[in-house]
Amino acid sequence: MKINVEITKKARVHNLLKIEDLNEKQLVQKMLIRRRLSRSSRILIYLAHKCGFATGVMVYGSAYGELIDTVNILESIKGSDNVSPSAFQNSVYNTASSYHSIVHGNTSEILTLSCGDETSYNVMQQAALSLLKEDEVFVCAIEAMNFDGVDSLNKCASELEYGISFILKKSEKEATITVENRVQKGVPASLSWMKILYDLCENKDSYIVEIEL
């Protein structure tokens, strides 16, 4: 089965080490919530704002999840220290999408996927399925991996913070974009498919891509 989806809005943010300006103070006005946000949560809230998305169906993906908070928990256990309640709370895969829903009061369906290097494509597949019954879906894939000691593990020389998002709707028109997945230098492999799609949108008047389920 194949479904054509149209990209109506898109956003991307990335940095070799750490994204400096995510506009948290303006986007999350409640200080108590803002202080608890994970890095992925900050990135997702920023990208959603760039796409004009506040409420509705969301599909969120991350191959590695909340690595920074998970590493902090493991370091605390290793050092026989107390585990931070915030780090424990933020260590689950749906942290980012959950914080966004809290900030905006979003009560619509939210799905979180983690599928290794296939994460971003599977996010698009799930969104296409959701569009069989929804008018619009927000999709986002993020990796935030800038923790102490990452240099000893990061063998692929990827940027350590990277996020891509789209707002999608179903289309009956023919596809204008064909994605050939390939290795993307500097991009986490889990985001590669969506990054290629994002780049292909730069030189098109309409952004319609065929998703095979």
Side-chain angles (χ1 to χ4, degrees):
M1 182 178 180
K2 297 179 180 180
I3 299 174
N4 284 2
V5 300
E6 181 178 0
I7 299 168
T8 60
K9 293 183 181 179
K10 58 187 175 68
R12 176 175 61 176
V13 64
H14 55 101
N15 192 278
L16 181 63
L17 297 176
K18 183 178 181 181
I19 301 162
E20 293 299 330
D21 186 11
L22 292 171
N23 205 17
E24 298 102 320
K25 288 187 178 180
Q26 179 182 345
L27 299 179
V28 185
Q29 296 185 0
K30 291 185 178 180
M31 185 177 66
L32 183 61
I33 296 176
R34 187 170 66 243
R35 290 178 60 185
R36 292 179 176 176
L37 295 176
S38 67
R39 286 301 298 172
S40 296
S41 302
R42 296 170 194 271
I43 296 169
L44 190 153
I45 290 169
Y46 176 84
L47 289 171
H49 174 72
K50 285 294 185 180
C51 286
F53 174 80
T55 60
V57 176
M58 178 192 301
V59 182
Y60 170 70
S62 177
Y64 302 106
E66 302 295 339
L67 267 181
I68 298 170
D69 287 289
T70 302
V71 168
N72 288 339
I73 290 172
L74 295 174
E75 289 291 348
S76 296
I77 294 172
K78 180 182 177 182
S80 299
D81 297 325
N82 291 328
V83 173
S84 163
S86 293
F88 182 77
Q89 174 183 305
N90 287 354
S91 64
V92 295
Y93 270 83
N94 65 338
T95 293
S97 55
S98 296
Y99 273 122
H100 179 273
S101 71
I102 291 169
V103 170
H104 292 285
N106 186 17
T107 58
S108 297
E109 181 180 66
I110 297 173
L111 298 173
T112 301
L113 303 179
S114 180
C115 312
D117 291 352
E118 302 299 320
T119 294
S120 66
Y121 184 63
N122 283 319
V123 163
M124 294 291 292
Q125 285 183 311
Q126 181 57 57
L129 281 172
S130 296
L131 285 170
L132 294 176
K133 58 185 178 67
E134 304 290 343
D135 294 331
E136 186 177 86
V137 176
F138 174 75
V139 300
C140 187
I142 293 170
E143 302 299 350
M145 305 180 285
N146 188 15
F147 60 88
D148 290 341
V150 69
D151 290 343
S152 64
L153 300 175
N154 182 30
K155 304 301 183 182
C156 57
S158 295
E159 295 190 61
L160 295 180
E161 290 197 343
Y162 212 115
I164 304 173
S165 62
F166 300 120
I167 289 182
L168 307 173
K169 67 179 184 179
K170 188 177 179 181
S171 177
E172 301 300 330
K173 298 178 182 179
E174 292 186 4
T176 60
I177 297 172
T178 301
V179 179
E180 295 181 4
N181 202 11
R182 58 188 183 278
V183 175
Q184 294 285 290
K185 185 177 181 181
V187 181
S190 58
L191 307 187
S192 179
W193 201 92
M194 282 178 63
K195 194 270 183 182
I196 295 169
L197 176 58
Y198 188 98
D199 289 345
L200 289 171
C201 290
E202 294 295 303
N203 300 313
K204 298 285 185 180
D205 294 326
S206 63
Y207 320 134
I208 301 173
V209 62
E210 182 182 84
I211 303 297
E212 186 170 357
L213 303 179

